[in-house]
């Protein structure tokens, strides 16, 4: 017999995806689990493991797994499956125990890491999902080798209680279920019941059954029972006689004036707390006053006449009766053999009963008031009531005190319904619970007697959605109808942009186009979050959290998200879907990070945006990039191509033929067509060709020389066209968008500093340097040759991030050396776990390698500090030279350039032809080649 192993399985890494991700179309939890020695022990080699697992979680018998039928997972257990796969199913089963119907999951081995598995499973509540994963690992270890510290029954109960604490109440959940059925997105805003329905300008908020439209004044009125009664009485509605008091003596005096029996209750209580009924003496009133006063926030108590009859709750939504329920106080029915206490236990064993509002019924509670009430009926808790004898445990019919409900929606007399609706209008509540006491709701209250004893703001839905007797009422529908009337939209258009290079500029172009159309655009990018052209947060905001911030902003009616690789890998997209996905390019950058080692894997990450396009959406893809071109197969919606390819090359001809075929089928594309006057951007839709703009007339393209911005303009125009923008608005947006610092900070900003042509850009990787180098070559050809020192120099200040591969850093230097005469290498403030000078050293190696091969570069220096590197470059430059600054902190660099210009102008005022230099500047030590 095989010796049973000692379990050492552990969770190595945990990620929570809050939207579409590389593993799933929906939110999921990702655990990297190391099986350790258990890698060599599939389930069929562990005696008794399967039986004990099914005993702990019987729901696993329902799992179909890959077999596609009930019991499929159990078959896999008997045949032998790895324990990482078991953990996935256990995490799902635990969530199902607490009512979360989640069935999505997968387990895959981690490449290159024997014994480690990616365990991915869906979740409803993030806290519950994470707890399920941790408990699943502990349970599997326990079943392999019993852990004396693990009490499974106790752990499972703790897990259920934790889930109950974070779960929505039945009222909130009913509204959310209805919203989801209508494709209305929602965001949980806190750990309680505050939820946003819809996005941006269309967003509405709910907290339980209070909504964005609920009047604060109306809530205050409903909380003041004395004022409520006076307002309803003034409207001629039936209400009991009542007065408010502050002392027990006043309560007795009022009770005598009104006439016994009376009711004593707090002025501003709820859920029936502190309500004392059927008081017939001064002593009863004095005792009840103490109880009611303890539940009143203002210390004010109401004494009112006792109205006899049944307790009915009329639910009013948007001025109309939505449901009516009869509320029956908590009680037990004698069976002739059990004591009252035993009867309570039997009743609480009903699986429909739970603590508070966690289930459709609340457990019966035995407190002093209940014991006294039982005694008043002639019983002790240890007595055995006769069979059929009803023993009350509470006088009020509130569900929160253990009462039950009987649906009476279609039995109520129309006049009673009108009275309830009028009461809600008088108080001003959009959703109100009107409490009626009357003999029979089927008869007019004005004839049979009865009254409105209370009006409740934020009434619970539980008694209507899950009545103990009768048909459930779908009352969430009128709530959602009120917030989102038929035909109203709940979503704002979302355009998501990704790619290795050009994301930020393209996002800004799209935002500029729609801003010109009058839209309130919310944009995220690596520079921050911009709402209607105002930068509200300055940070790298290309992740999912920033996207959610935009979707929560009530001003935004159009969203443009720059989506970076890192955010997708960390948390997914952070939203459900995007109407337009733009993929500009996929090039080798960020490789070797988070398990992404090849450019094909990087393409899979960026394709998440394309997979998040709905059937009525669009994917805007760069037809010139083979990896992007292949993403068309992952798109559920329509594809819009954009291409710079020309027909005069074999590769370009193939791309254009593909686009021609696409357009003949009615598709859309944007292409460049060469003419005698220059290149024209042409929009193709089906068999129609529409001229959009000359590339050399777009300010961002520097007369067509900035080819990277020609590509970005094509992508932006295609995205705007897919999003429904008219051609004239797209044309106007492109013609008015420039790369000046105020519209596009840090992206190809052109600044003249005392005759020196300075370009400020964010270029930080080798593919970007290729495009920037092409731009430098094109601009360099047109520079004035009249520099003080002869032929103008090309000076580049370059850097890369410390988390790139060593060879990627060398390649950056190699490319830069082919386009610049002088290369100055700096480093970012955040070295990303590199030693100071290490990154610059690898870049320098690449420069020297290129120089040895005959590259253009004549001199290379290392100046680690960014501002010192700018100073060094400016000190070396002469009038007419081209200086390219690849920056990390562009605000500081631009400010330094402005200061330099002012200082240099003052110093050169007496000799305008002198070389540009700062006489007070001392260059830092350099490494010069």
């Amino acid at each position: 017999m095989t010796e049973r192993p000692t379990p050492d399985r552990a969770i190595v890494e945990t990620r929570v995806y809050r939207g579409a991700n590389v593993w799933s179309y929906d939110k999921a939890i990702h655990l990297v689990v190391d099986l350790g020695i258990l890698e060599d022990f599939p389930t069929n080699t562990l005696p008794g493991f399967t039986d004990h697992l099914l005993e702990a979680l019987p729901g696993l018998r329902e799992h179909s797994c890959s077999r596609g039928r009930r019991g499929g997972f159990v078959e896999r257990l008997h045949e032998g499956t790895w324990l990482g796969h078991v953990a996935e199913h256990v995490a799902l089963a635990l969530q199902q125990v607490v009512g979360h119907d989640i069935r999505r999951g997968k387990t895959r081995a981690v490449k290159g890491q024997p014994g480690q598995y990616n365990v991915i499973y869906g979740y409803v509540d993030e806290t519950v999902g994470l707890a399920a994963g941790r408990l699943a690992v502990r349970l599997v270890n326990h079943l392999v080798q019993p852990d004396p510290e693990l009490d499974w029954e106790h752990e499972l109960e703790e897990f259920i209680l934790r889930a109950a604490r974070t779960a929505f109440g039945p009222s909130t959940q009913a509204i959310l279920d209805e919203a989801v059925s209508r494709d209305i997105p929602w965001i949980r805003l806190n750990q309680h019941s505050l939820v946003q329905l819809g996005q941006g300008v269309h967003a509405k908020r709910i907290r339980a059954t209070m909504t964005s439209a609920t009047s604060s004044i109306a809530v205050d009125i409903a909380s003041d029972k004395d004022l409520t009664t006076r307002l309803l009485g003034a409207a001629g509605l039936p209400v009991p006689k009542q007065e408010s008091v502050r002392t027990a003596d006043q309560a007795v005096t009022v009770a005598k004036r009104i006439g016994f029996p009376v009711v004593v209750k707090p002025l501003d209580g709820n859920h029936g707390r502190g309500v004392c009924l059927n008081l017939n003496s001064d002593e009863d009133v004095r005792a009840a006053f103490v109880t009611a006063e303890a539940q009143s926030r203002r210390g004010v108590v109401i004494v009112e006449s006792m109205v006899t009859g049944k307790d009915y709750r009329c639910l009013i939504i948007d001025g109309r009766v939505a449901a009516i329920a009869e509320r029956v106080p908590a009680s037990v029915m004698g069976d002739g053999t059990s004591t009252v206490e035993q009867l309570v236990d039997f009743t609480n064993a009903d699986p429909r009963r739970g603590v508070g509002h966690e289930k459709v019924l609340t457990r019966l509670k035995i407190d002093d008031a209940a014991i006294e009430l039982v005694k008043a009926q002639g019983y002790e808790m240890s007595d055995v009531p006769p069979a059929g004898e009803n023993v009350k445990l509470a006088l009020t019919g509130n569900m929160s005190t253990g009462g039950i409900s009987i649906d009476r929606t279609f039995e109520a007399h129309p006049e009673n319904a009108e009275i309830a609706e009028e009461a809600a209008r008088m108080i001003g509540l959009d959703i109100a619970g009107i409490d009626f006491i009357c003999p029979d709701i089927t008869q007019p209250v004005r004839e049979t007697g009865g009254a409105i004893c209370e009006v409740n703001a934020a009434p619970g839905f539980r008694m209507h959605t899950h009545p103990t007797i009768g048909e459930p009422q779908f009352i969430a529908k009128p709530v959602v109808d009120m917030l989102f009337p038929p035909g109203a939209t709940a979503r704002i258009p979302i355009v998501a942009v990704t790619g290795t290079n050009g994301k930020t500029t393209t996002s800004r172009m799209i935002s500029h186009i729609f801003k010109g159309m009058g839209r309130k655009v919310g944009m995220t990018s690596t520079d921050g979050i911009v709402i209607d052209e105002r930068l509200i947060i300055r940070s790298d905001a290309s992740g999912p959290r920033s996207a959610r911030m935009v979707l929560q902003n009530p001003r935004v009616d159009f969203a443009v998200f720059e989506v970076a690789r890192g955010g997708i890998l960390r948390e997914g997209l952070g939203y459900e879907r995007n109407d337009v996905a733009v993929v500009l390019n996929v090039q080798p950058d960020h490789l070797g990070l988070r398990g992404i080692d090849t450019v094909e894997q990087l393409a899979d990450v960026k394709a998440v945006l394309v997979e998040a396009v709905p059937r009525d959406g669009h994917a805007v893809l760069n037809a010139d990039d083979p990896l992007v071109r292949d993403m068309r197969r992952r798109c559920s919606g329509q594809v819009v191509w954009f291409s710079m390819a020309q027909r005069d090359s074999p590769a370009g001809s193939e791309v254009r033929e593909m686009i021609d075929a696409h357009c003949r089928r009615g598709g859309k594309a944007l292409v460049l067509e060469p003419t005698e006057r220059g290149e024209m951007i042409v929009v193709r839709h089906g068999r129609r060709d529409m001229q959009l703009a000359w590339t050399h007339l777009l300010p961002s393209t520097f007369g067509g020389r900035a080819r990277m911005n020609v590509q970005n303009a094509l992508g932006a125009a295609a995205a705007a066209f897919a999003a429904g923008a008219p051609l004239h608005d797209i044309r106007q947006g492109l013609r008015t968008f420039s790369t000046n610092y105020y519209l596009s900070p840090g992206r190809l900003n052109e600044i003249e500093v005392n005759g020196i042509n300075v370009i400020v850009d964010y270029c930080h990787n080798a593919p970007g340097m290729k495009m920037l180098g092409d731009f430098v070559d094109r601009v360099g050809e047109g520079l004035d040759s009249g520099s003080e020192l002869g032929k103008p120099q090309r000076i580049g200040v370059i850097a890369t991030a410390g988390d790139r591969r060593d060879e990627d850093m060398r390649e950056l230097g190699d490319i830069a050396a082919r386009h610049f005469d002088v290369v100055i290498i700096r480093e970012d403030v955040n070295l990303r776990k590199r030693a100071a000078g290490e990154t610059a050293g690898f870049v320098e190696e690449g420069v020297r390698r290129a120089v040895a091969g005959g590259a253009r570069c004549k001199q290379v220096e290392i100046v680690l500090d960014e501002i010192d590197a700018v100073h060094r470059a400016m000190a070396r430059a002469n009038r007419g030279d081209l200086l390219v600054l690849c920056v990390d902190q562009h605000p500081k660099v631009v400010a330094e350039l402005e200061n330099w210009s002012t200082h240099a102008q003052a110093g050169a005022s007496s000799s305008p032809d002198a070389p540009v230099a700062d006489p007070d500047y001392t260059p830092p030590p350099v490494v010069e080649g």
Side-chain angles (χ1 to χ4, degrees):
M1 180 177 177
T2 305
E3 184 179 351
R4 205 170 183 86
T6 301
D8 58 349
R9 196 172 76 145
I11 298 174
V12 177
E13 185 178 355
T14 301
R15 300 179 195 169
V16 179
Y17 301 124
R18 297 177 175 88
N21 54 83
V22 294
W23 297 101
S24 171
Y25 293 113
D26 207 346
K27 57 186 183 180
I29 288 174
H30 178 190
L31 305 180
V32 179
V33 178
D34 190 345
L35 297 186
I37 193 174
L38 296 179
E39 168 70 1
D40 299 325
F41 292 87
T43 54
N44 62 337
T45 66
L46 301 171
F49 177 87
T50 298
D51 294 336
H52 292 146
L53 177 63
L54 296 177
E55 181 182 350
L57 288 170
L60 288 170
R61 300 180 188 276
E62 304 297 324
H63 288 205
S64 60
C65 197
S66 58
R67 301 295 167 85
R69 60 178 180 272
R70 180 182 180 275
F73 177 62
V74 176
E75 294 176 15
R76 295 288 302 277
L77 288 171
H78 287 303
E79 294 169 2
T81 187
W82 304 112
L83 296 181
H85 181 212
V86 175
E88 169 208 328
H89 280 271
V90 171
L92 292 172
L94 284 169
Q95 294 183 82
Q96 290 162 2
V97 167
V98 297
H100 297 179
D101 186 19
I102 293 295
R103 307 177 189 183
R104 296 177 291 106
K106 64 176 67 173
T107 301
R108 300 290 184 270
V110 178
K111 293 182 180 178
Q113 298 291 335
Q116 290 193 5
Y117 289 84
N118 294 304
V119 178
I120 300 95
Y121 56 91
Y123 68 91
V124 172
D125 182 274
E126 179 180 323
T127 305
V128 175
L130 288 170
R134 290 190 290 265
L135 185 55
V137 171
R138 292 185 61 199
L139 174 62
V140 173
N141 281 343
H142 173 68
L143 295 179
V144 173
Q145 187 70 270
D147 180 359
E149 296 184 1
L150 179 65
D151 180 346
W152 172 244
E153 295 297 330
H154 173 74
E155 292 290 341
L156 182 60
E157 185 176 353
E158 284 294 311
F159 174 76
I160 293 172
L161 290 175
R162 182 187 293 113
R165 286 194 295 270
T166 61
F168 289 119
S171 302
T172 307
Q173 191 61 56
I175 296 174
L176 291 183
D177 290 343
E178 177 66 20
V180 169
S181 72
R182 302 189 190 192
D183 194 33
I184 297 174
W186 61 272
I187 303 173
R188 190 170 191 170
L189 300 178
N190 65 7
Q191 288 303 309
H192 302 288
S193 296
L194 184 61
V195 177
Q196 174 181 308
L197 301 177
Q199 300 169 339
V201 71
H202 305 303
K204 309 290 183 182
R205 289 178 180 172
I206 62 169
R207 186 169 62 189
T209 59
M210 294 180 66
T211 75
S212 304
T214 302
S215 164
S216 176
I217 294 177
V219 173
D220 286 344
I221 292 172
S223 300
D224 187 329
K225 293 178 172 45
D226 183 35
L227 177 57
T228 297
T229 301
R230 285 192 279 114
L231 287 175
L232 297 182
L237 300 177
V239 292
K241 298 177 182 177
Q242 69 168 219
E243 291 185 34
S244 58
V245 298
R246 291 183 176 272
T247 66
D249 290 338
Q250 290 177 348
V252 171
T253 301
V254 170
K256 289 179 178 178
R257 183 161 58 247
I258 290 176
F260 292 104
V262 296
V263 175
V264 173
K265 59 186 180 182
L267 175 74
D268 48 6
N270 53 35
H271 296 297
R273 299 186 186 98
V275 178
C276 301
L277 305 175
N278 200 23
L279 307 176
N280 290 286
S281 68
D282 295 359
E283 293 74 17
D284 290 344
V285 172
R286 290 182 186 278
F289 178 86
V290 175
T291 302
E293 185 184 35
Q295 295 295 329
S296 176
R297 293 185 294 274
R298 306 181 199 177
V300 180
V301 171
I302 297 292
V303 180
E304 69 179 24
S305 58
M306 177 76 177
V307 180
T308 59
K310 296 178 180 179
D311 186 354
Y312 295 96
R313 165 64 64 84
C314 299
L315 180 66
I316 312 299
I317 299 175
D318 199 21
R320 306 284 296 176
V321 170
I324 298 176
E326 178 184 343
R327 299 187 297 180
V328 180
S331 63
V332 292
M333 185 68 69
D335 60 5
T337 59
S338 305
T339 66
V340 174
E341 190 171 4
Q342 290 172 334
L343 291 171
V344 170
D345 291 338
F346 295 155
T347 304
N348 283 338
D350 185 340
R352 295 177 299 171
R353 291 189 180 269
V355 177
H357 293 274
E358 68 174 350
K359 293 187 178 180
V360 297
L361 293 174
T362 302
R363 289 179 182 173
L364 301 180
K365 183 179 179 182
I366 303 300
D367 53 16
D368 292 341
I371 294 173
E372 288 299 320
L373 181 59
V374 171
K375 287 182 178 179
Q377 297 170 77
Y379 297 104
E380 298 290 339
M381 296 301 296
S382 57
D383 291 344
V384 178
E389 179 74 13
N390 190 47
V391 180
K392 293 182 179 180
L393 299 172
L395 289 174
T396 60
N398 296 74
M399 300 290 287
S400 57
T401 59
I404 65 171
S405 65
I406 304 172
D407 181 62
R408 304 292 189 191
T409 302
F410 301 109
E411 301 174 17
H413 193 279
E415 184 176 321
N416 295 338
E418 290 177 6
I419 290 174
E421 292 170 355
E422 185 67 14
R425 281 192 288 269
M426 283 300 302
I427 303 304
L429 289 169
D430 58 337
I431 301 177
I434 312 298
D435 289 346
F436 257 116
I437 302 292
C438 63
D440 188 352
I441 198 70
T442 65
Q443 302 298 318
V445 141
R446 298 185 192 276
E447 298 177 7
T448 61
I452 297 173
C453 61
E454 199 165 318
V455 176
N456 297 275
F461 287 177
R462 185 169 52 153
M463 70 184 75
H464 307 292
T465 57
H466 297 86
T468 314
I469 301 172
E471 293 295 323
Q473 301 300 314
F474 299 101
I475 53 178
K477 180 181 183 301
V479 175
V480 179
D481 282 341
M482 177 180 66
L483 297 174
F484 298 95
T489 182
R491 297 178 180 270
I492 61 173
I494 296 176
V495 177
V497 182
T498 193
T500 303
N501 291 299
K503 299 185 295 293
T504 302
T505 299
T506 304
S507 298
R508 287 170 174 164
M509 286 180 174
I510 297 169
S511 298
H512 185 74
I513 291 169
F514 282 95
K515 174 62 181 175
M517 294 170 59
R519 307 299 290 268
K520 304 292 184 182
V521 181
M523 183 187 73
T524 65
S525 71
T526 50
D527 282 339
I529 300 176
V530 177
I531 303 295
D532 196 22
E533 293 193 324
R534 287 184 178 274
L535 183 65
I536 62 171
I537 293 180
R538 187 188 301 276
S539 68
D540 184 346
S542 58
R545 295 183 184 180
S546 304
R548 289 195 294 273
M549 290 179 66
V550 169
L551 296 177
Q552 291 176 31
N553 192 293
R555 284 196 297 156
V556 174
D557 62 11
F558 195 95
V560 180
F561 297 145
E562 176 185 340
V563 181
R565 160 213 59 90
I568 299 175
L569 290 173
R570 281 194 313 272
E571 298 183 63
L573 291 184
Y575 54 86
E576 183 183 354
R577 64 179 187 241
N578 34 244
D579 302 277
V580 180
V582 182
V583 186
L584 298 170
N585 43 63
V586 179
Q587 296 167 326
D589 190 26
H590 293 99
L591 299 183
L593 300 174
R594 289 186 175 270
I596 305 302
D597 300 314
T598 67
V599 69
E600 288 77 16
Q601 291 175 322
L602 183 61
D604 289 337
V605 174
K606 296 186 180 296
V608 169
L609 270 71
V610 178
E611 294 170 345
V613 172
R615 290 187 179 277
D616 59 348
H618 296 79
V620 175
L621 304 179
N622 182 357
D624 301 335
D625 189 318
L627 291 171
V628 178
R629 200 160 58 233
D630 289 344
M631 294 181 190
R632 66 186 183 277
R633 298 182 179 89
R634 304 188 181 195
C635 181
S636 299
Q638 300 181 47
V639 171
V640 180
W641 296 112
F642 69 93
S643 172
M644 296 174 63
Q646 301 299 318
R647 299 183 187 274
D648 54 5
S649 68
S653 177
E654 181 180 349
V655 169
R656 292 301 293 271
E657 287 177 5
M658 180 196 72
I659 292 176
D660 291 343
H662 173 73
C663 292
R664 283 196 298 270
R665 295 191 298 269
K668 303 172 185 176
L670 272 80
V671 296
L672 288 184
E673 294 290 358
T675 69
E676 294 181 358
R677 292 184 54 190
E679 292 177 322
M680 170 65 73
I681 298 177
V682 176
V683 178
R684 301 185 61 186
H685 187 186
R687 298 186 180 275
R688 289 188 301 161
D689 288 359
M690 297 162 280
Q691 293 184 344
L692 184 65
W694 298 104
T695 57
H696 64 275
L697 297 182
L698 305 183
S700 62
T701 69
F702 290 79
R705 289 171 292 183
R707 305 303 291 173
M708 72 284 268
N709 275 355
V710 173
Q711 182 186 84
N712 294 338
L714 279 166
F721 185 58
L727 290 188
H728 63 271
D729 286 315
I730 300 174
R731 183 181 298 113
Q732 180 67 12
L734 294 179
R735 284 180 174 176
T736 56
F737 180 85
S738 69
T739 59
N740 67 61
Y741 187 72
Y742 300 100
L743 273 181
S744 188
R747 302 302 190 277
L748 220 60
N749 307 140
E750 184 180 31
I751 305 171
E752 184 177 332
V753 182
N754 300 102
I756 302 172
N757 302 293
V758 181
I759 300 292
V760 178
D761 193 67
Y762 187 64
C763 175
H764 59 281
N765 58 38
M769 184 59 70
K770 287 182 181 178
M771 293 186 285
L772 182 62
D774 175 75
F775 172 69
V776 168
D777 290 344
R778 291 171 184 267
V779 172
E781 294 173 359
L783 288 177
D784 183 12
S785 60
S787 173
E788 290 85 346
L789 302 180
K791 187 177 180 179
Q793 297 183 95
R794 303 178 190 176
I795 303 172
V797 177
I798 66 173
T800 189
D803 58 0
R804 304 308 196 266
R805 298 177 303 180
D806 298 350
E807 184 53 38
D808 293 336
M809 298 179 185
R810 296 188 185 98
E811 185 181 1
L812 175 78
D814 186 299
I815 296 170
R818 301 176 189 280
H819 301 281
F820 293 104
D821 300 302
V822 178
V823 174
I824 299 174
I825 306 169
R826 62 163 188 85
E827 286 188 339
D828 293 347
V829 174
N830 183 359
L831 299 177
R832 308 197 188 196
K833 300 182 181 180
R834 296 270 189 176
E838 183 181 359
T839 298
F842 286 122
V843 175
E844 184 195 19
E845 289 178 20
V847 174
R848 295 189 183 281
R849 182 175 67 189
V851 170
R856 180 187 184 105
C857 181
K858 301 298 186 293
Q859 203 165 27
V860 57
E861 304 179 8
I862 295 179
V863 182
L864 297 182
D865 180 76
E866 183 167 23
I867 300 303
D868 286 343
V870 172
H871 284 162
R872 180 67 179 177
M874 290 296 296
R876 297 188 66 115
N878 298 295
R879 296 184 186 277
D881 287 349
L882 175 63
L883 172 57
V884 178
L885 305 177
C886 298
V887 300
D888 178 36
Q889 305 176 76
H890 58 76
K892 291 183 178 180
V893 170
V894 171
E896 195 65 31
L897 292 174
E898 291 177 350
N899 292 337
W900 182 283
S901 177
T902 302
H903 185 87
Q905 284 178 357
S909 59
S910 59
S911 180
D913 295 327
V916 179
D918 185 347
D920 298 326
Y921 171 67
T922 301
V926 300
V927 179
E928 188 169 326

